[in-house]
């Protein structure tokens, strides 16, 4: 358990893909549990649920940052792209909660939110960037041997 806590709270050094995936699965489980609890707490109020989702996003941002930065360090990168990914995620989440860029359309007596053209474009760009980051973090091998961020985690030294 201490290893998992350290994995989600430390941004120094390097981690390999396996530890990154373990951390991501832990964050996904936490996110799902929080969503279920908040769905019950909000009692179906979409506006309250949207703002509670912002709080969950903010609470999980630091552990996601720690995982991402250490994984980018393994690839000898400073992690600026991880910071952009997390900031973009929080910003899009806040835009959704405020309703900016969203119009409401009635279909068959049910009202659905529809993003405006510009928010749809921003979401598409963010989606492509997120896929790029998934490949960088989850699938590409780290730097072999030591780099400026520490020893190779696969050498057993980290």
């Amino acid at each position: 358990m201490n290893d998992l806590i350290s994995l989600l709270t430390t941004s120094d050094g390097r981690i390999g893909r396996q530890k990154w995936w373990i951390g991501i699965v832990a964050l996904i489980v936490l996110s799902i549990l929080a969503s279920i609890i908040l769905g019950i707490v909000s009692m179906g109020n979409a506006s309250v649920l949207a703002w509670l989702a912002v709080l969950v996003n903010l609470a999980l941002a630091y552990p996601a940052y720690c995982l991402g930065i250490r994984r980018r360090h393994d690839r000898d990168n400073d992690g600026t792209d991880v910071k952009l990914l997390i900031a973009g995620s929080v910003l899009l989440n806040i835009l959704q909660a405020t309703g900016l860029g969203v119009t409401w359309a009635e279909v068959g007596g049910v009202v659905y939110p529809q993003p405006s053209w510009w928010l749809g474009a921003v979401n598409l760009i963010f989606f492509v960037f997120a896929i790029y980051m998934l490949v960088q973090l989850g699938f590409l091998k780290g730097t072999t041997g030591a780099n400026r961020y520490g020893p190779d985690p696969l050498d057993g030294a980290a």
Side-chain angles (χ1 to χ4, degrees):
M1 185 64 154
N2 287 341
D3 286 344
L4 182 60
I5 291 171
S6 174
L7 183 65
L8 298 175
T9 59
T10 305
S11 60
D12 293 331
R14 300 166 59 177
I15 58 171
R17 291 171 286 188
Q18 181 181 18
K19 282 193 176 184
W20 183 82
W21 279 109
I22 290 169
I24 289 301
V25 168
L27 290 182
I28 290 170
V29 168
L30 286 172
S31 179
I32 290 170
L33 290 174
S35 296
I36 291 169
I37 292 167
L38 296 180
I40 293 168
V41 169
S42 70
M43 295 188 285
N45 185 329
S47 177
V48 170
L49 185 58
W51 283 105
L52 291 174
V54 170
L55 294 177
V56 169
N57 192 339
L58 288 172
L60 297 178
Y62 184 70
Y65 166 81
C66 289
L67 285 170
I69 289 295
R70 290 178 73 194
R71 185 68 194 115
R72 290 305 275 151
H73 286 175
D74 190 40
R75 297 194 30 78
D76 205 16
N77 183 288
D78 68 358
T80 299
D81 49 4
V82 170
K83 296 171 191 170
L84 291 173
L85 179 71
I86 292 171
S89 172
V90 170
L91 179 62
L92 285 172
N93 201 225
I94 290 171
L95 282 175
Q96 177 184 346
T98 61
L100 290 174
V102 176
T103 58
W104 298 90
E106 185 176 337
V107 178
V110 180
V111 179
Y112 292 98
Q114 291 183 314
S116 63
W117 68 269
W118 66 267
L119 187 56
V122 169
N123 276 312
L124 179 62
I125 292 167
F126 186 77
F127 176 75
V128 170
F129 180 59
I131 295 296
Y132 162 79
M133 289 302 296
L134 177 64
V135 170
Q136 287 291 320
L137 298 170
F139 296 103
L140 297 180
K141 186 178 182 316
T143 305
T144 302
N147 67 20
R148 61 187 162 151
Y149 298 105
D152 189 336
L154 298 180
D155 286 342

